[in-house]
Amino acid sequence: MTNFSKLSNFFKTEYSLNQDGIEELFSLIKVIKHRKGSLLIQAQSKEKQLRFLNKGIVREYYSNQEKEVNINFYIKPQFISDLLTFSQNSNTNKNQECLSSVEVLCIDRNPFFDLLEKYQCGKSFIDASFQKLLKQKEMLEFNRVTKTPKELYNELFIYKPEWLQSIPHRLLFKHNS
């Protein structure tokens, strides 16, 4: 059986889901495995599921006919959905590619929001998620604009050494092409 402990701890500590809520949440989860090279989401599609990365490495990027720009990489167990478009039921501009085989825990959008409404933690989930997203985005933009490539590398070395060990450097240090 797939281990839901990290997802369970997240909801127990961050949001007011009691044990019944946790059990109901787990009853909604689908475990989906993807092969290396698979796309989890493509630009101009709707984010129909809340996705939690259980295992593997995912690259998130923007793309047009001329270039791809990496936005983020996910290695640690965490939510990887485009939360803005998930909550608003709108199209995303992001793409996500599996850089390894990946295991994702998924919950369909409508049952998830029904659950949050039932346990009255929906607003706190959305608010906290957006605050965290905005903070990450601000930090990323600040670093990209103000830091040299060497400074960015040093920060990765200190704060995200697992990226340097697990993600091909050609993707980490790609220059918008």
Side-chain angles (χ1 to χ4, degrees):
M1 176 163 185
T2 301
N3 185 347
F4 294 159
S5 63
K6 290 182 173 103
L7 185 62
S8 175
N9 288 340
F10 175 84
F11 277 99
K12 283 180 183 174
T13 57
E14 301 288 329
Y15 304 101
S16 57
L17 280 180
N18 60 24
Q19 191 57 41
D20 292 335
I22 295 291
E23 289 174 20
E24 192 171 339
L25 174 74
F26 288 165
S27 74
L28 299 172
I29 291 175
K30 298 176 211 162
V31 179
I32 301 176
K33 296 184 181 195
H34 299 274
R35 287 188 281 190
K36 180 179 178 178
S38 300
L39 288 178
L40 298 178
I41 192 161
Q42 280 188 283
Q44 303 313 311
S45 64
K46 288 195 179 199
E47 187 75 86
K48 296 176 184 173
Q49 296 177 319
L50 183 65
R51 292 176 288 108
F52 186 87
L53 178 66
N54 210 35
K55 295 178 188 169
I57 303 170
V58 173
R59 170 176 82 117
E60 186 171 72
Y61 62 98
Y62 293 123
S63 171
N64 65 25
Q65 294 176 343
E66 299 165 14
K67 63 183 177 180
E68 289 182 357
V69 178
N70 294 322
I71 306 165
N72 206 347
F73 296 93
Y74 301 99
I75 292 178
K76 296 179 180 176
Q78 62 186 299
F79 286 101
I80 61 172
S81 296
D82 180 341
L83 292 175
L84 179 63
T85 62
F86 176 75
S87 68
Q88 295 179 348
N89 198 26
S90 59
N91 287 345
T92 185
N93 291 316
K94 299 176 180 179
N95 299 282
Q96 289 182 341
E97 174 190 18
C98 299
L99 295 181
S100 69
S101 57
V102 168
E103 180 180 271
V104 180
L105 309 179
C106 299
I107 304 170
D108 290 334
R109 186 180 186 284
N110 290 338
F112 178 72
F113 280 108
D114 291 345
L115 179 79
L116 292 183
E117 188 69 31
K118 179 178 179 180
Y119 291 97
Q120 299 181 359
C121 60
K123 184 172 176 10
S124 65
F125 174 81
I126 298 300
D127 289 348
S129 297
F130 284 135
Q131 286 177 14
K132 184 177 178 183
L133 247 163
L134 284 173
K135 183 178 178 183
Q136 288 173 345
K137 185 174 179 169
E138 281 291 315
M139 189 171 68
L140 182 65
E141 287 174 1
F142 177 79
N143 285 343
R144 283 187 176 164
V145 170
T146 63
K147 304 220 171 164
T148 67
K150 184 175 182 173
E151 289 171 321
L152 291 171
Y153 176 85
N154 288 337
E155 282 195 3
L156 283 178
F157 187 77
I158 294 167
Y159 298 109
K160 297 190 182 243
E162 68 278 5
W163 283 24
L164 293 172
Q165 295 167 358
S166 304
I167 299 167
H169 288 193
R170 65 179 169 72
L171 294 176
L172 284 175
F173 302 108
K174 190 176 197 173
H175 292 288
N176 301 336
S177 57

